[in-house]
């Protein structure tokens, strides 16, 4: 039995998220179906975490155990079978004791905003949230107050029981995107709560719209009340970029 580590990219538009669902296709199901076909036995694939319906990835990490797994060219074999909106960008033998979820020390997500008030480029529409009239400088001030070790309970949606909602968030980085008026927010942390990035993005957008002020972030930390924070941002702007193992980058 060999443990194989995969890095997977996908467009999440037509999937019901990473995890197998009864009501629609998922990334995990797509991978397990092909891997099990190759191995001739059912094989479970474990991901580094669950991405929601409609969320994308360029660096999702997964692992599975397969008989004689090291003898199979997994990247070539899987990419010949997977649909065009899923690709294995790396496949290798896993390190001893490796677990895609439990060995991870941090993750980085990107959320893309489209701020051009005239139109949304059709090619970018499946990957952005169109928002207008944002004060980007106010958003930057708000983002600076979110970084650090805090209780993010106000930015966690219901659905997962956890021992703690305290996480350490690195400074949020805003960079220009592929097109004029497109901005990407990069979030990296030692862990993320359910829909935490989408909720933080929604808060920053409300600051940019002038409906909240930057200092409302620390206030929401203190309340620990999800009902007081803005509604969750839509999924299509979110992408899981990279999962880090071992020592996180400085």
């Amino acid at each position: 039995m060999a443990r194989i580590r995969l890095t997977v990219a996908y467009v999440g538009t037509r999937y019901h998220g990473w995890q197998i669902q009864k009501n629609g296709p998922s990334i995990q199901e797509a991978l397990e179906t092909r891997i099990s076909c190759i191995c001739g036995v059912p094989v479970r694939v474990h991901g580094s975490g669950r991405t929601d319906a409609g969320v994308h990835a360029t660096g999702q990490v997964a692992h599975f155990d397969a008989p004689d797994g090291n003898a199979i060219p997994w990247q070539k074999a899987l990419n010949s079978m997977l649909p065009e909106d899923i690709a294995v960008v790396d496949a290798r033998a896993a390190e001893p004791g490796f677990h895609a979820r439990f060995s991870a020390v941090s993750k980085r997500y990107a959320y893309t905003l489209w701020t051009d008030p005239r139109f949304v480029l059709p090619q970018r529409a499946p990957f952005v949230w169109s928002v207008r009239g944002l004060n980007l400088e106010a958003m930057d001030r708000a983002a600076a107050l979110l970084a650090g070790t805090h209780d993010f309970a106000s930015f966690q949606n219901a659905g997962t029981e956890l021992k703690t909602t305290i996480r350490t968030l690195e400074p949020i980085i805003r960079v220009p995107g592929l097109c004029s008026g497109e901005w990407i927010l990069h979030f990296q942390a030692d862990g993320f709560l359910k829909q935490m990035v989408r909720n933080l993005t929604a808060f920053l957008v409300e600051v940019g719209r002038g409906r909240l002020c930057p200092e409302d972030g620390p206030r929401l930390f203190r309340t620990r009340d999800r009902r007081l924070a803005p509604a969750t941002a839509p999924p299509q702007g979110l992408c899981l970029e990279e999962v880090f193992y071992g020592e996180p980058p400085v």
Side-chain angles (χ1 to χ4, degrees):
M1 191 72 69
R3 176 157 294 187
I4 305 300
R5 169 176 167 172
L6 303 177
T7 303
V8 186
Y10 48 85
V11 175
T13 305
R14 70 183 187 95
Y15 296 95
H16 287 232
W18 163 266
Q19 189 176 27
I20 291 176
Q21 304 287 333
K22 295 180 180 179
N23 60 340
S26 70
I27 306 298
Q28 184 184 27
E29 178 186 32
L31 289 169
E32 287 188 0
T33 299
R34 276 73 177 183
I35 293 169
S36 297
C37 180
I38 293 170
C39 293
V41 295
V43 175
R44 174 64 70 189
V45 176
H46 302 269
S48 69
R50 304 172 184 175
T51 50
D52 298 327
V55 172
H56 316 293
T58 57
Q60 171 71 283
V61 176
H63 81 264
F64 62 93
D65 295 324
D68 300 321
N70 289 330
I72 296 172
W74 285 106
Q75 184 181 33
K76 181 178 180 180
L78 289 173
N79 284 338
S80 70
M81 302 171 71
L82 288 166
E84 292 184 352
D85 49 7
I86 305 176
V88 174
V89 299
D90 185 66
R92 65 182 69 180
E95 304 86 350
F98 174 82
H99 192 286
R101 177 184 174 190
F102 299 121
S103 300
V105 296
S106 67
K107 296 178 183 178
R108 186 178 72 239
Y109 285 87
Y111 197 102
T112 304
L113 303 173
W114 183 278
T115 63
D116 191 317
R118 301 168 299 166
F119 63 90
V120 179
L121 194 67
Q123 289 85 349
R124 297 299 298 147
F127 306 100
V128 303
W129 179 19
S130 178
V131 288
R132 302 174 182 180
L134 298 181
N135 182 333
L136 297 174
E137 290 71 24
M139 292 174 63
D140 290 342
R141 294 196 299 273
L145 296 176
L146 296 175
T149 302
H150 306 287
D151 190 331
F152 285 89
S154 294
F155 298 96
Q156 176 195 22
N157 286 359
T160 305
E161 293 295 328
L162 297 169
K163 293 181 178 180
T164 178
T165 50
I166 295 174
R167 297 290 186 271
T168 299
L169 179 67
E170 301 298 323
I172 300 168
I173 300 171
R174 175 172 63 87
V175 298
L178 296 174
C179 305
S180 176
E182 188 175 271
W183 293 97
I184 303 173
L185 303 173
H186 291 280
F187 299 82
Q188 183 170 328
D190 57 358
F192 289 93
L193 308 175
K194 183 176 176 61
Q195 297 175 340
M196 175 175 153
V197 175
R198 291 166 61 188
N199 292 331
L200 290 172
T201 300
F203 167 74
L204 293 175
V205 166
E206 289 299 278
V207 171
R209 287 169 167 166
R211 298 172 183 172
L212 294 172
C213 64
E215 292 73 24
D216 284 324
R219 178 183 61 81
L220 287 168
F221 287 148
R222 293 191 294 270
T223 67
R224 303 188 73 254
D225 190 340
R226 176 72 189 98
R227 297 169 298 177
L228 300 178
T232 305
Q236 73 274 5
L238 184 60
C239 180
L240 173 57
E241 289 190 312
E242 190 167 358
V243 183
F244 298 100
Y245 296 91
E247 291 298 322
V250 177

